[in-house]
Amino acid sequence: MRSLLPVLTVLIALLAVWFAAVAPMNIRQSLDQAERAGNVVMPEGARVRSETSRFLLMFQNPNEILRGFNLDRPRLPTPVQVGQELWKTTGAMVLKGRAFSKRSLIFHGWITLQSTLFGFALGTSIGILGAVAIVYSRTAAMSLMPWAIISQTIPIVALAPMIIVLTGQLGIEERAVPKAVISAYLCFFPVLVGMVKGLSSPAREDLDLLRTYSASGIATFFKLRLPSSLPYLFTSLKVGIAAALVGTIVGELPTGAISGLGARILIGDQFGTPLAIWSALFAAAILAGALVTLLGLFQRYALRRIRGAA
Amino acid sequence: MVPFDRWASVMVIQAQNLSLTFETNDGPVDALKDVSLYIKKGDFVSFIGPSGCGKTTFLRCVAALETPTSGGLSVNGMSPDAARQARAYGYVFQAAGLYPWRTIAGNIRLPLEIMGFSRAEREERVDRVLELVELGGFGKKYPWQLSGGMQQRASIARALAFDADILLMDEPFGALDEIVRDRLNEELLGLWARTGKTIGFVTHSIPEAVYLSTRIVVMSPRPGRITDVIESTLPKERPLDIRDSREFIEIAHRVREGLRAGHGDVL
């Protein structure tokens, strides 16, 4: 709990910057609205204002600044508005007993979570198996590793539609499949790199000791390499699950997706409802935070079980 | 002349013109050059010399961790590889190398698990060697709960657990302070007397080599070779204060001479 104070300080600073940014970001919209309502604004006419500096507009119309904090479709919503929207689409839906209605972020979050976990399981398995191959075989190390690195240099946004089209061509109707594949594509890499490092972390003396026992490769793996790699595994799992979530959301962005947090972001963009985008964004961040925290707790529990209380 | 098979049964380690050349980026390095040496059953042989003299390399050849470039080497009358399969030796490294995720007992159990001892026998052996290194009652502790000296004792216990006749020790006390080191040296002598093992011991320290050994092999670097082999005249029973005796000082002096002869600028 010692970290609470610094974390809160940063949070408050971020919120302050956010609030401060709302006024200049929304000033033009506020003045348009005020003008329509018959108020006198300086200068008149939306076109003229769009060429005037935001700060000058604020300076000339100080009475209209506050309007920007309460717009229906603000360019930048306030944290309070985002909080209200989040509550409206989660907690309030639960209270109404409609937690899984199509307008609820819980429903969309659940869709995203499913694909994320599926992709995470797939990506983690590929990453671990790849790492084992790379550590045990020079051929695999030389052939797999460069491709693994190249795979991450291709922008996932470019690749995602192709994966969706491809799985469709293969006759896979289930929408979760391409999303999970994209998610696994992003997720396997940190796990692979972490596990290669973890599995090769035993010192030469540790390996020599097992050689003096004439230990088999399998015994060396399970008694030394795997246990030594666990701290690395947990670290890469935490990176991996965040990457898996990003992958799923990216997979939900291209045409066709109607559910999931990524789809909410896309729809919010198309229908000009920034609040929907922001609340979906925050829902995704909260989901990622929860998943990483969960893994962290599991890590602490597992390492404590393995190492006594160290 | 001793008849051959009797000779073979007494000779635990025999090296004949052993050479090992490492290929490095700076060209070949002669880690060992024409090393000939025998170690009898029950000997306590120390290898001493500056770094790069091949003392560790020799021990690693005996343990089949390195393969000599030329020359003959037999351990218990077998090739080093076969001797390893026959569990002829236990190896103790400079770092205790205990697994942090295993208890002390769990660490000692490691070779027994790998070698396929039954569960009951594993427990019995773990208890026995823990007593042997005076760590009885520490089996359930984790390595981080023990001092450096205790960790090294645990690593010796691990090497003793499967009853190898030979104990190969590569600077086992090199990282410990002098007081702990003295204590462990004394204990090691006691352990050697009780178990009758053959011990090969690599060290940097002249007093340690003289205090422990029945024979001291002095080596020098570039190329790694033997410059002197000293038979100790000290009695088998050695209290710590034997180090102030005339005999001890004379042997230490001869070791120092041997080191100086091999490598003028070191000492």
Side-chain angles (χ1 to χ4, degrees), chain A residues 208 211 214 223 227 306 308, chain B residues 60 84 99 101 113 142 158:
Chain A
D208 279 347
R211 277 179 67 194
S214 305
K223 301 226 182 269
I306 296 167
Chain B
R60 290 176 62 85
R84 173 158 82 196
Y99 292 178
W101 57 87
E113 287 170 10
Y142 280 87
R158 182 177 58 187

Side-chain angles (χ1 to χ4, degrees), chain B residues 166-212:
Chain B
I166 309 171
L167 203 52
L168 302 174
M169 309 178 88
D170 186 3
E171 295 189 47
F173 309 138
L176 302 174
D177 68 66
E178 189 116 6
I179 298 161
V180 177
R181 200 175 178 151
D182 280 353
R183 171 108 199 271
L184 288 180
N185 279 339
E186 212 178 357
E187 283 180 17
L188 183 59
L189 274 187
L191 190 103
W192 173 61
R194 265 173 287 151
T195 56
K197 306 264 181 213
T198 310
I199 300 183
F201 190 96
V202 167
T203 179
H204 269 122
S205 153
I206 297 174
E208 188 172 66
V210 179
Y211 176 66
L212 291 172

Side-chain angles (χ1 to χ4, degrees), chain B residues 195-233:
Chain B
T195 56
K197 306 264 181 213
T198 310
I199 300 183
F201 190 96
V202 167
T203 179
H204 269 122
S205 153
I206 297 174
E208 188 172 66
V210 179
Y211 176 66
L212 291 172
S213 322
T214 55
R215 279 162 78 223
I216 303 157
V217 178
V218 184
M219 299 182 74
S220 78
R222 283 177 290 274
R225 64 193 185 281
I226 296 175
T227 48
D228 197 4
V229 177
I230 302 161
E231 297 280 344
S232 175
T233 48

Side-chain angles (χ1 to χ4, degrees), chain A residues 204-206 208-215 219 223-224 227-228 305-310, chain B residues 60 64-65 84-85 89 91 93 95 99-102 110-111 113-115 142 144 158 162:
Chain A
R204 194 176 87 146
E205 288 202 339
D206 294 332
D208 279 347
L209 180 73
L210 288 182
R211 277 179 67 194
T212 68
Y213 303 151
S214 305
K223 301 226 182 269
L224 177 60
S228 327
R305 275 292 301 269
I306 296 167
R307 298 196 171 205
Chain B
R60 290 176 62 85
L65 292 172
R84 173 158 82 196
Q85 300 291 334
Y89 56 83
Y91 204 105
F93 293 90
Y99 292 178
W101 57 87
R102 283 176 173 246
L110 174 74
E113 287 170 10
I114 290 172
M115 293 171 182
Y142 280 87
W144 59 271
R158 182 177 58 187
F162 48 95

Side-chain angles (χ1 to χ4, degrees), chain B:
Chain B
M1 266 314 266
V2 190
F4 178 76
D5 42 336
R6 204 165 135 239
W7 179 253
S9 73
V10 188
M11 286 304 131
V12 174
I13 297 168
Q14 282 175 286
Q16 207 42 253
N17 295 328
L18 200 69
S19 294
L20 173 56
T21 309
F22 289 117
E23 293 299 334
T24 70
N25 289 336
D26 303 328
V29 170
D30 288 320
L32 290 174
K33 183 108 185 135
D34 287 330
V35 169
S36 295
L37 181 76
Y38 64 92
I39 296 178
K40 290 200 300 283
K41 193 169 170 46
D43 267 354
F44 195 127
V45 178
S46 285
F47 297 85
I48 190 165
S51 17
C53 73
K55 51 193 194 303
T56 294
T57 309
F58 181 77
L59 218 60
R60 290 176 62 85
C61 285
V62 173
L65 292 172
E66 305 283 356
T67 312
T69 318
S70 66
L73 179 62
S74 77
V75 179
N76 278 350
M78 299 175 262
S79 75
D81 261 319
R84 173 158 82 196
Q85 300 291 334
R87 296 169 200 160
Y89 56 83
Y91 204 105
V92 180
F93 293 90
Q94 177 169 3
L98 301 171
Y99 292 178
W101 57 87
R102 283 176 173 246
T103 60
I104 296 302
N107 270 287
I108 297 172
R109 214 181 290 125
L110 174 74
L112 303 175
E113 287 170 10
I114 290 172
M115 293 171 182
F117 285 85
S118 75
R119 186 173 292 268
E121 180 147 25
R122 292 200 295 242
E123 297 315 313
E124 187 266 317
R125 278 167 181 264
V126 167
D127 288 342
R128 181 157 53 81
V129 292
L130 274 174
E131 289 299 328
L132 208 56
V133 298
E134 296 173 37
L135 279 180
F138 285 92
K140 289 201 170 70
K141 299 273 187 214
Y142 280 87
W144 59 271
Q145 294 170 301
L146 268 59
S147 70
M150 287 164 105
Q151 291 187 18
Q152 198 52 273
R153 286 204 298 232
S155 107
I156 294 171
R158 182 177 58 187
L160 292 170
F162 48 95
D163 276 339
D165 293 331
I166 309 171
L167 203 52
L168 302 174
M169 309 178 88
D170 186 3
E171 295 189 47
F173 309 138
L176 302 174
D177 68 66
E178 189 116 6
I179 298 161
V180 177
R181 200 175 178 151
D182 280 353
R183 171 108 199 271
L184 288 180
N185 279 339
E186 212 178 357
E187 283 180 17
L188 183 59
L189 274 187
L191 190 103
W192 173 61
R194 265 173 287 151
T195 56
K197 306 264 181 213
T198 310
I199 300 183
F201 190 96
V202 167
T203 179
H204 269 122
S205 153
I206 297 174
E208 188 172 66
V210 179
Y211 176 66
L212 291 172
S213 322
T214 55
R215 279 162 78 223
I216 303 157
V217 178
V218 184
M219 299 182 74
S220 78
R222 283 177 290 274
R225 64 193 185 281
I226 296 175
T227 48
D228 197 4
V229 177
I230 302 161
E231 297 280 344
S232 175
T233 48
L234 295 177
K236 202 167 180 186
E237 203 54 41
R238 297 176 188 180
L240 272 176
D241 55 18
I242 203 171
R243 294 181 299 183
D244 299 324
S245 72
R246 238 187 104 87
E247 240 180 328
F248 187 97
I249 292 164
E250 271 167 15
I251 298 170
H253 181 73
R254 202 178 142 192
V255 174
R256 200 168 284 117
E257 289 290 307
L259 289 170
R260 193 172 294 151
H263 200 80
D265 51 295
V266 165
L267 291 158

